[in-house]
Amino acid sequence: MNVLVIGSGAREHALCRSLSLDPAVTALHCAPGNAGIAEVAELHQVDALDGEAVAALAVVLDAALVVVGPEAPLVAGVADAVREAGIPVFGPSKEAAQLEGSKAFAKDVMAAAGVPTARSYVCTTPEEAAEALDAFGAPYVVKDDGLAAGKGVVVTDDLEAAAAHAAACERVVIEEFLDGPEVSLFAITDGDTVVPLQPAQDFKRALDGDEGPNTGGMGAYSPLPWADPKLVEEVMETVLQPTVDELRRRGTPFSGLLYAGLAITSRGVRVIEFNARFGDPETQVVLARLKTPLAGVLLAAATGDLADLPPLRWSDDAAVTVVIASHNYPGTPRTGDPITGLAEVAAEDSPHAYVLHAGTKYDGETVVSAGGRVLTVTASGSDLTEARERAYQAVARIGLDGSQHRTDIAAKAAAGA
């Protein structure tokens, strides 16, 4: 099978790594890719937001499957253009991707489907925002209605900061604060059948102890030893299947990866948000535990054949991933710094730990930073304690001037807290 992956981040590197290990994949391509992906896939230059260009590349490569990784191309309709070219594509249509592209749209779908979520108001003026903030009180939760690369949500006790974020957005969703731990659950769907993956937990705050500003994610782990064993079954029945059924009922079936960000509250499971693609950095730990070859699963979703697949197989091992971010992230990151230690990790820590590239590029023959989140180091072990030890041992081998990472990823879960 000839596979083309669209994207250039750690999520796409994780996807390409898994696909490269699949015996059914005979050729692997990525556009535009990054320095790490170049080690497992042939890279091509293409504008990932240009559906016609992506479709044309897929035709030239004779791709049997196209996997669209990031949210922006999905919301731009890239998957539609590839489908129109007659090529199976893993990723929802432009209309269905509004589940992530518009928080207000997602709330409307959840209301129609009876999916439990936070009470909310959609606001377009400062006056509406002020009324909503007053109605809910602190902590204030203000979400940019559109795509914001994981940085459109502000959760704060500071009323002025909440109002300022609302004023900076054309339209916002202001909602009640949801208490309790957060869980990420992915599901692969062909628009009818829904196949859940294993749950994971990520860490959004920049600093240890869940301090500092929100980020795109600083690390993740799976499994969740503290979670109810029936959690996946409950979320399938109350969230994932009803949402897929509602989108199909509306004539905009969702085919691809449906990501549910959940809060396990004192009143039960509530949806924080939906994403229309694999989440980063949870993808790294979920795919690290998946034993079923990936390509056949993605192709079955793209062709409407998920119901014919046998149950997915999973490793009993735990997985932990730690993000190495550049200086000043999540503010304006410093880029162009050389990265050292990558060969040492490959030589000393493989196969238990490996590095996935996010914001990197080549400067001559040197790999340098090219974004905010630069690398994710992923490790597996018999339990979370061993996986953490291996991940942080590999992190210690990597040199990037001014870089930062959290030191407490999965620490509480590993300690049984």
Side-chain angles (χ1 to χ4, degrees), residues 221-264:
Y221 70 95
S222 178
L224 312 181
W226 50 267
D228 187 327
K230 295 184 178 179
L231 174 64
V232 174
E233 179 182 344
E234 177 185 351
V235 176
M236 273 288 293
E237 292 178 357
T238 63
V239 175
L240 297 171
Q241 192 70 57
T243 299
V244 170
D245 291 345
E246 171 62 19
L247 286 167
R248 186 177 66 252
R249 186 193 67 79
R250 293 179 177 216
T252 56
F254 188 105
S255 171
L257 194 289
L258 177 58
Y259 166 123
L262 310 165
I264 313 302

Side-chain angles (χ1 to χ4, degrees), residues 283-347:
T283 299
Q284 288 87 306
V285 293
V286 172
L287 292 185
R289 300 185 59 221
L290 179 64
K291 295 177 69 175
T292 301
L294 183 60
V297 180
L298 303 186
L299 182 62
T303 56
D305 299 323
L306 267 184
D308 299 331
L309 281 188
L312 299 181
R313 295 180 294 110
W314 296 94
S315 169
D316 292 330
D317 283 354
V320 172
T321 194
V322 179
V323 172
I324 298 176
S326 58
H327 177 74
N328 200 42
Y329 179 77
T332 302
R334 192 175 77 201
T335 60
D337 290 313
I339 301 168
T340 62
L342 299 175
E344 287 76 5
V345 173

Side-chain angles (χ1 to χ4, degrees), residues 148-210:
K151 302 173 187 175
V153 179
V154 167
V155 181
T156 180
D157 290 321
D158 186 332
L159 178 58
E160 289 187 7
H165 183 62
C169 306
E170 288 188 15
R171 183 163 77 155
V172 294
V173 173
I174 296 175
E175 62 184 38
E176 65 175 329
F177 177 77
L178 296 175
D179 64 330
E182 295 184 12
V183 173
S184 300
L185 184 62
F186 300 164
I188 290 174
T189 178
D190 56 11
D192 189 0
T193 300
V194 181
V195 177
L197 305 185
Q198 290 292 303
Q201 186 175 55
D202 77 333
F203 295 75
K204 291 295 187 188
R205 297 288 185 173
L207 306 176
D208 284 4
D210 292 326

